[in-house]
Every structure is written in structure tokens, then in C-alpha cells.
Amino acid sequence: MSRTPSRASPAPLSGAGSQLQPQSQRRPPRAADGASIAGVAEQAGVSVATVSRVLNGHENVRAATRDKVLAAIDASGYRVNELARNLRTAESRLLLTMVPDFGNPFYAEIVRGIDSVARQHGYFMLLCDTGADPGRERSYFDMLRRRRADGAICLDPATIQQALGEASQALPWVACCEFDPEMGVPYVGIDNYRAAGDAVRHLLARGHRRIGLINSDVDYLYARQRQQGYLDAMRDAGIAPDPHWRMNLNSLDYAAGASAAARLMQRPDAPSAIFAVSDTLAIGVIHGLRSVGKRVPADVAVAGFDDISLAAQIDPPLTTIAQPMRELGETAARLLLQRLANPQANVPGVLLPHRLVIRGSA
Amino acid sequence: MSRTPSRASPAPLSGAGSQLQPQSQRRPPRAADGASIAGVAEQAGVSVATVSRVLNGHENVRAATRDKVLAAIDASGYRVNELARNLRTAESRLLLTMVPDFGNPFYAEIVRGIDSVARQHGYFMLLCDTGADPGRERSYFDMLRRRRADGAICLDPATIQQALGEASQALPWVACCEFDPEMGVPYVGIDNYRAAGDAVRHLLARGHRRIGLINSDVDYLYARQRQQGYLDAMRDAGIAPDPHWRMNLNSLDYAAGASAAARLMQRPDAPSAIFAVSDTLAIGVIHGLRSVGKRVPADVAVAGFDDISLAAQIDPPLTTIAQPMRELGETAARLLLQRLANPQANVPGVLLPHRLVIRGSA
DNA sequence: TTGAAAGCGCTAACAT
DNA sequence: ATGTTAGCGCTTTCAA
């Protein structure tokens, strides 16, 4: 059913740009100046094959010849046309990274990790903000089939990944942070279940028994895993947590955390501690708590998740679970590169360690 | 002198991926399955030209023919090879965005604006973190010459933009936030001089006379403009600001602001108010102030710049100058698209309005 | 060590 | 309305 979309029709530019276009030549514009490899070959008095060999650092070129070619390149200011090279070598040297929201500092650091590894290996990273929308996700995935990108790293909710269907498994991609081990797609992440348990056990050790959970959307596997970690840690402590202490939010931004916390505090048996599954949420929670007159941690303790750089800077500094964000990104990129280099080797899933960071908020 | 770099040699993948590669065929791998436009043409019993016309939504195709082609496409799962299309049409449909640090939430929102406009016009955005390094900047610019990208938006320090030299002016790019009006490159930004003055005048109106300035690197034109705005506003109020109240930092992160503020407070005549030229810095400043026992705003008032979403969430909420970040990005993208559509038209520089947002910190 | 030539898959001019 | 065909600029066989 999904038919190849015709080229996105560029919406007309508001204003200028339409009327004055007498340069509508019959053929694609030629390279600005440096022209093509043929021009260099001619200038240097060699064949295009030789120029190509020099360009690609092949060994079998006489030093004198190479110098002639190099001189011609310098003189003409020639730059290789990667459009042509890409077609010929059948690779775009682009790696896709799909994130649900790159405004979130958590993703920013992961993306940095991906980018740095990609670059080291001669790839560029194309960052795509899917907004956790299945439609957009699907259309980005299609870039793989259209050879616009050589591979992809997906950080979108596991539910969305699963909705991609069987066919997607043949495509060169890996999952990062969010993954379904059953899908047969390489992945990297952390043990969310244990990490959440660690956070809750810390709160319990501080004497709290009424602990709230401010969670994200259950489309995220990590949300379900962390909830289970919370539930089991509570149960192991002999506590039956009130379901009203749990909230699921469809946004991770500060404001969402703030209003959720305020709402939570309206309950008669309001929690004395809150575990938020993201630092951005937790920071909002602290703000929301203050807005209803609660002190942190005196009245209500707060624990977050991720350890973004901001966590240490707010007041009070945030107790949180640190994820190795940079390494998460680097590992994802390396797994993808492995899969690209060797398509049939089966790449493993890998789990990285987390760490409880105790600061002032809980 | 700069000679065309040979293709970045992919560093060997650590571990797997090298030994087992029996699929080293002599020619580039063919499209996985859907094959090429020729295959579709054959299946549909038409010529490749007709398939191409259908693909690109040309009108001059009989409905019946179009349906045959569409059917063949659906049946084969064909996807257009954009590598080939790009070579033929001589465009990559990629727009470069160069930022000094995309971990900074300020840039994140601008990038969103660029991305959304780019997409609306059928382009993808390639995000490049230059780390404000002239070398990296230069190498990214070279992607334009190598036809890897059709145009670029640069948010790097004006000093670095200027270092690109004359030759760069012929390239299709625009400046965003940072710009030298003299360079003849289209730009969009705000009036930093007036904005800084507005912030300082607000502090003065609150009765402060000892006002500190925590500024970023003077490589940034905006840093010099804001400093001048600060200086003139002080002078107009009849105050000769102590040079020791001014600091220039080479980082905009939270920690940098925190330590700068702590240092500033050690002076005997420490300021009673601080104007930080970035919200991230200001948030760090508040933290630093607290760490040396100062209350905000009771002991020291703090004003920031940018109005990132976090600004309203911290304690106390930050008084700041709001920049229209999203619009900044959108406008930059539109200017670039105009320049692309009509290379010889001279695109204007545009200044967007700022706004003082008064909250609790000052 | 070098060159000639065959494509990579597509678009568009030109012919029908 | 449709088909034929010439490239886009490059890499890579194969032959010399």
C-alpha cells in the first residue's frame, strides 16, 4: 500500500524567489568553478582514473604523477563531488538518529556520543526529531530504503519501534535506550528495573513509606520497567502503594512535572517522597512542590533519573540515577557501524551500568 | 593550498566486522530488492521516462498508465534511489546548521525552528556541533563545495565567521544570532545592544548601582554588543562601573556561571545585582551565589538572557530577556531558502524583537 | 603505473 | 502521452 512518495513538493517560498529566474538552463548547473575530475585530469595531463586514485589515496601512483595531480587540484580549487561519489559507491555516509524530542537535555548528550563516533568513522549524523509520532518515524525509516542514509539509531518508544513491523528488521538500524529484546534488533540501554528499584530503596532507607511515582507515557518500555521496579521495591518493603500515588504523563518537560506534583499534593494522604523518572520532570516537580508551599526535601523528598548536567545546579541539588549518556550514544553508533560493516553477523544487545547519585533533594 | 582531502579513512572498527566479509563483490551492491526504475518500467510495460514522470507527479501521464506504474511500484516495493536523483538534479536537499554547542537549550529551540521550515520545503537538516572551533567550522563549510549540502546556517561566533574569508561569501549560507553586517551575508538576530540595556535599566530601576556583568567570550559579537549596552546604560545612570565587576567566560554552562559568581562575591565591593548574558549562566550564578551563602534576590539580584523554558522553573524564577528563538531559526531557514531559490537577489538582514520578562530573581 | 571505458539510477530534452 | 537516449561525476575493472 505505501507507495513511493513523490518528491516533497517544496511549498512556494513566501515572497521573493519566484519571479526572477532567467537562469532556467536546460541542464543541471555545472559545478561552480573547480569543475569536475575530468578538468583536473586534463590540467594535469593524466586520465580521470589516475586523478581518482590520487583522490582516494591509492598506492599505485608514481610520486611525480601524484604531484602533478595535486598541483592541478590546488590550482583549480577542485573539490570532489560527493553526490557522484555516493551514487557510484552506493552509500550516503549518513547515519540517522531518531529522537522523540531533542530539546530534552538527556537526548542531547546521547546524540553527542553518537555524533562523535560517527565522525571518527567518516560518517555524518542526521538528527531527526520524530516527536514520538509513528507516522514521522515511519517516514524517516523510509530514508533507509531510499538510500538517503546508510543506517539508523532509534530512541523512540518501544511501542513505536514494534509498530514498524517485521519488514523493518531487515533494515540496518539499532535501538538505543528503548528496545524490545525480542525484536532481534541490536540495542544498548540500562537495566531500568534495577535502577528504579535502587532509587526507591534509597527513598525507603530515608524512612519514606508514602512514595509517589511520576512516570512518563507507558508507550515507553522504560516507563513500564521503572514502574515495575518501583512496585517491587515497595512490595519488598512490605508496602502496598496506593495507585493514586502513580501518575503517567505524556510529556517530559518541566511544566508537566510541576503541575503533576501540585496535583499529587492535593490528596489527603499525599506522598512524602516522589520518584520522577526523568530529571526534567523532577526539576518541574520541585518547582511545583514549592508553588504549593512544600519544602524540598523537608516536606517532600524528590529523586530524579538521568543525571543531566543541570541536576547538580538546582536548589536543592537533585538526587538521581545517573545514566552513562555519552557511552550510550557511542555504543549505539558502534553497534550500528558493526552491523553496517558486517550485515550478517548478529550484533548483541548490551546493558550499561547506572549509578545512584545522592544529593540534597532526597 | 588546502587540497581536497581524500575520503576520511574509516578507522578500523574495534572488534568484529573485519574478518568475515566474503560478500566483497566486484561492483557496488545492487539495490536490495525493489531494484531500479528500469525494473518498475519493465513490470509496468512502460518506459523509464514514464515511471520517472509518475514518480515526480508530472501531469502529462494518462490516468490508466499512471495506475499501471503505481501498481508495479506497490508490487515491487520500489523506492527511489535518492543518491541517483541527487546526482542528476545536482542537489543534496540537505541544509547544514552549525552551532557552537547544541547541548545549550538556547540553540536547541533555534534548531527546531530551522528544522521545521527546512522540512516544509523538502529539505533535511544536518546538525553540526563545531565547538566554536575554526578548523571544524572550515571543514563543515567545505561540505558545501563538495556538494554534500546545498546551503548552511551558521550560529558560530562572528570572529570565526570572519575568519572564513572572502571566498566563503560566494557560498550559499546565512548567519543566525551572530553576524557581521559588513560581511554581506544575510542574517537574522536581535538588537543585543538595546536588549542588554533593557536588562540593566531594569536592575537600575530596582535601585541597584553595583551591577556585575557575567559575559561570554568576546569572540561573540553579541558579547561585545551586550557589554556596550551594559556600559552605556550604567553611564547614562551616572555610574562608572568598576571593571572588576565584569567577567568574560569561555563557557556557557551552568558550572561556569556558578564559579564566576562565587569569585565575584569575594570582592569587598561585590555587586548587589548580576546580569548574566545567558540563562544557563544565570542559573549557574544563582547556584554559585547560594553556595557562598547569598540569597537571591534579597542579597543579590540576578537577570539572565534568552528565556529558555527552564528559566521559569527554577527558584527563584529568572528575570530575563526573551529572544524569539523559534522565529530566529525559522527566519534563518527562510532566508537561506530564498538565497537558494534566487542566488543573485540580495537577501536582507533582519532583526527580531526581544522582550524583558520580569520574574522573581530581579 | 597508467588509461579506456563501463556503468551507478535517475531526469529531462527531444522525438514521436 | 509516451519512448529513446544522453548524460550527472565518479570509481573500478580490465587491458596495456
Side-chain angles (χ1 to χ4, degrees):
Chain A
M1 48 189 60
S2 76
R3 76 188 25 145
T4 299
S6 59
R7 183 203 295 274
S9 58
L13 241 42
S14 61
S18 332
Q19 65 283 43
L20 195 70
Q21 291 206 49
Q23 90 288 34
S24 81
Q25 55 266 88
R26 301 326 200 89
R27 42 187 52 202
R30 310 194 103 274
D33 41 352
S36 71
I37 204 175
V40 174
E42 191 175 4
Q43 266 198 52
V46 300
S47 73
V48 293
T50 298
V51 177
S52 175
R53 284 190 268 258
V54 171
L55 247 23
N56 294 95
H58 292 194
E59 285 309 319
N60 48 349
V61 180
R62 250 194 324 162
T65 311
R66 158 171 291 114
D67 289 345
K68 269 194 308 187
V69 172
L70 256 17
I73 289 175
D74 277 3
S76 63
Y78 167 79
R79 291 291 187 289
V80 68
N81 180 332
E82 305 216 26
L83 258 24
R85 177 186 272 175
N86 288 345
L87 172 60
R88 178 58 224 224
T89 60
E91 55 177 14
S92 65
R93 293 253 139 196
L94 246 37
L95 261 27
L96 235 56
T97 297
M98 286 168 289
V99 298
D101 168 25
F102 77 67
N104 191 318
F106 170 65
Y107 292 117
E109 192 57 27
I110 293 180
V111 165
R112 272 229 186 77
I114 296 172
D115 191 51
S116 81
V117 170
R119 280 224 164 77
Q120 281 168 35
H121 293 263
Y123 285 82
F124 285 95
M125 190 202 65
L126 199 51
L127 186 56
C128 297
D129 193 327
T130 63
D133 174 65
R136 276 168 82 177
E137 167 100 7
R138 197 175 288 274
S139 87
Y140 287 135
F141 251 91
D142 224 42
M143 294 178 70
L144 259 23
R145 291 187 251 261
R146 289 181 303 165
R147 330 270 335 198
R148 244 228 125 128
D150 294 340
I153 294 171
C154 181
L155 290 92
D156 276 305
T159 319
I160 293 187
Q161 294 181 17
Q162 288 153 346
L164 253 20
E166 296 269 324
S168 76
Q169 294 179 32
L171 263 18
W173 67 284
V174 306
C176 181
C177 297
E178 275 289 295
F179 54 88
D180 175 358
E182 305 301 308
M183 274 190 82
V185 170
Y187 64 83
V188 56
I190 66 161
D191 185 337
N192 287 295
Y193 174 81
R194 280 216 304 119
D198 290 348
V200 173
R201 280 184 287 273
H202 169 71
L203 262 14
L204 289 164
R206 288 281 210 244
H208 296 283
R209 295 187 62 81
R210 296 197 316 285
I211 301 177
L213 174 69
I214 295 193
N215 205 344
S216 64
D217 202 292
V218 288
D219 272 352
Y220 289 95
L221 183 66
Y222 81 74
R224 301 194 293 275
Q225 294 171 328
R226 290 178 198 173
Q227 165 164 307
Q228 200 56 52
Y230 159 88
L231 254 17
D232 289 358
M234 293 292 270
R235 194 204 49 207
D236 292 350
I239 302 172
D242 187 331
H244 291 110
W245 295 343
R246 299 203 307 265
M247 309 186 66
N248 284 99
L249 275 34
N250 56 17
S251 161
L252 288 181
D253 64 26
Y254 307 110
S259 69
R263 242 175 307 138
L264 205 48
M265 285 302 116
Q266 291 175 345
R267 300 196 55 78
D269 59 340
S272 69
I274 295 177
F275 170 39
V277 298
S278 149
D279 283 352
T280 52
L281 241 28
I283 289 166
V285 164
I286 290 178
H287 182 65
L289 253 15
R290 278 221 184 78
S291 73
V292 297
K294 300 288 184 187
R295 291 164 304 161
V296 178
D299 299 329
V300 183
V302 176
F305 206 111
D306 294 341
D307 196 28
I308 58 178
S309 69
L310 181 61
Q313 300 290 328
I314 59 161
D315 179 56
L318 194 62
T319 290
T320 190
I321 298 286
Q323 293 202 58
M325 298 174 285
R326 181 103 195 179
E327 288 75 21
L328 248 10
E330 291 173 346
T331 306
R334 262 189 278 269
L335 290 180
L336 180 57
L337 257 11
Q338 278 180 30
R339 188 163 175 183
L340 254 25
N342 198 351
Q344 61 275 344
N346 63 340
V347 183
V350 1
L351 250 32
L352 263 25
H354 62 271
R355 201 175 84 249
L356 174 67
V357 179
I358 301 173
R359 299 202 182 92
S361 71
Chain B
M1 52 184 56
S2 77
R3 75 188 25 146
T4 297
S6 59
R7 182 202 297 275
S9 56
L13 242 41
S14 60
S18 333
Q19 66 284 42
L20 196 70
Q21 292 205 49
Q23 92 286 34
S24 81
Q25 55 265 89
R26 299 326 197 92
R27 41 187 52 204
R30 311 193 102 274
D33 41 353
S36 71
I37 205 175
V40 174
E42 191 175 5
Q43 265 198 54
V46 299
S47 73
V48 293
T50 298
V51 177
S52 175
R53 284 189 269 258
V54 172
L55 248 22
N56 292 292
H58 292 193
E59 284 309 317
N60 48 351
V61 179
R62 251 194 324 161
T65 312
R66 159 170 289 113
D67 288 345
K68 269 195 306 190
V69 172
L70 256 17
I73 289 174
D74 278 2
S76 63
Y78 166 79
R79 291 291 186 288
V80 68
N81 180 332
E82 304 216 26
L83 258 24
R85 175 185 275 175
N86 287 346
L87 172 60
R88 177 58 223 223
T89 59
E91 55 177 15
S92 65
R93 293 252 140 198
L94 247 35
L95 261 28
L96 235 56
T97 297
M98 286 169 287
V99 298
D101 168 25
F102 77 68
N104 190 318
F106 170 66
Y107 292 117
E109 191 57 27
I110 293 179
V111 165
R112 272 230 186 77
I114 296 172
D115 191 51
S116 81
V117 170
R119 279 221 165 82
Q120 280 168 35
H121 293 264
Y123 284 82
F124 285 95
M125 191 203 64
L126 199 51
L127 186 55
C128 297
D129 193 328
T130 63
D133 173 66
R136 276 168 81 176
E137 167 100 8
R138 197 175 289 273
S139 89
Y140 287 135
F141 252 91
D142 224 43
M143 294 178 69
L144 258 23
R145 291 187 251 262
R146 289 180 302 164
R147 329 270 336 199
R148 234 208 144 159
D150 295 339
I153 295 171
C154 181
L155 290 93
D156 276 304
T159 320
I160 294 188
Q161 295 182 16
Q162 287 153 347
L164 253 19
E166 297 268 324
S168 75
Q169 293 179 34
L171 263 18
W173 67 284
V174 305
C176 181
C177 297
E178 275 288 294
F179 54 87
D180 175 358
E182 307 301 308
M183 274 190 80
V185 170
Y187 64 83
V188 56
I190 65 161
D191 185 337
N192 286 295
Y193 174 81
R194 281 216 303 119
D198 291 348
V200 173
R201 280 185 287 273
H202 169 72
L203 262 13
L204 289 164
R206 288 282 211 244
H208 297 282
R209 295 188 59 82
R210 296 197 316 284
I211 301 176
L213 174 69
I214 295 193
N215 205 345
S216 65
D217 202 292
V218 287
D219 272 352
Y220 288 96
L221 183 66
Y222 80 73
R224 300 194 294 275
Q225 294 171 329
R226 291 178 198 174
Q227 164 165 307
Q228 200 55 51
Y230 158 89
L231 254 19
D232 288 359
M234 293 291 270
R235 193 205 49 207
D236 291 352
I239 302 172
D242 187 330
H244 291 109
W245 295 344
R246 298 203 309 264
M247 309 188 67
N248 284 99
L249 276 34
N250 56 16
S251 159
L252 288 182
D253 65 25
Y254 307 110
S259 69
R263 242 175 307 139
L264 205 49
M265 287 302 115
Q266 291 174 344
R267 300 196 54 79
D269 59 341
S272 69
I274 295 177
F275 170 39
V277 298
S278 148
D279 282 352
T280 52
L281 240 29
I283 289 166
V285 163
I286 291 178
H287 182 66
L289 253 16
R290 277 221 184 78
S291 72
V292 296
K294 300 288 185 187
R295 290 164 305 160
V296 178
D299 298 329
V300 182
V302 176
F305 206 112
D306 293 342
D307 196 28
I308 59 178
S309 70
L310 181 61
Q313 301 290 329
I314 59 160
D315 181 56
L318 193 62
T319 289
T320 190
I321 297 286
Q323 293 203 58
M325 299 175 284
R326 181 102 195 180
E327 289 74 20
L328 248 10
E330 292 173 344
T331 306
R334 261 188 278 268
L335 290 180
L336 180 57
L337 257 11
Q338 277 181 31
R339 188 164 176 182
L340 255 24
N342 197 351
Q344 61 276 345
N346 63 340
V347 184
V350 0
L351 251 31
L352 263 24
H354 62 270
R355 202 176 82 248
L356 173 67
V357 178
I358 301 173
R359 299 202 181 94
S361 70

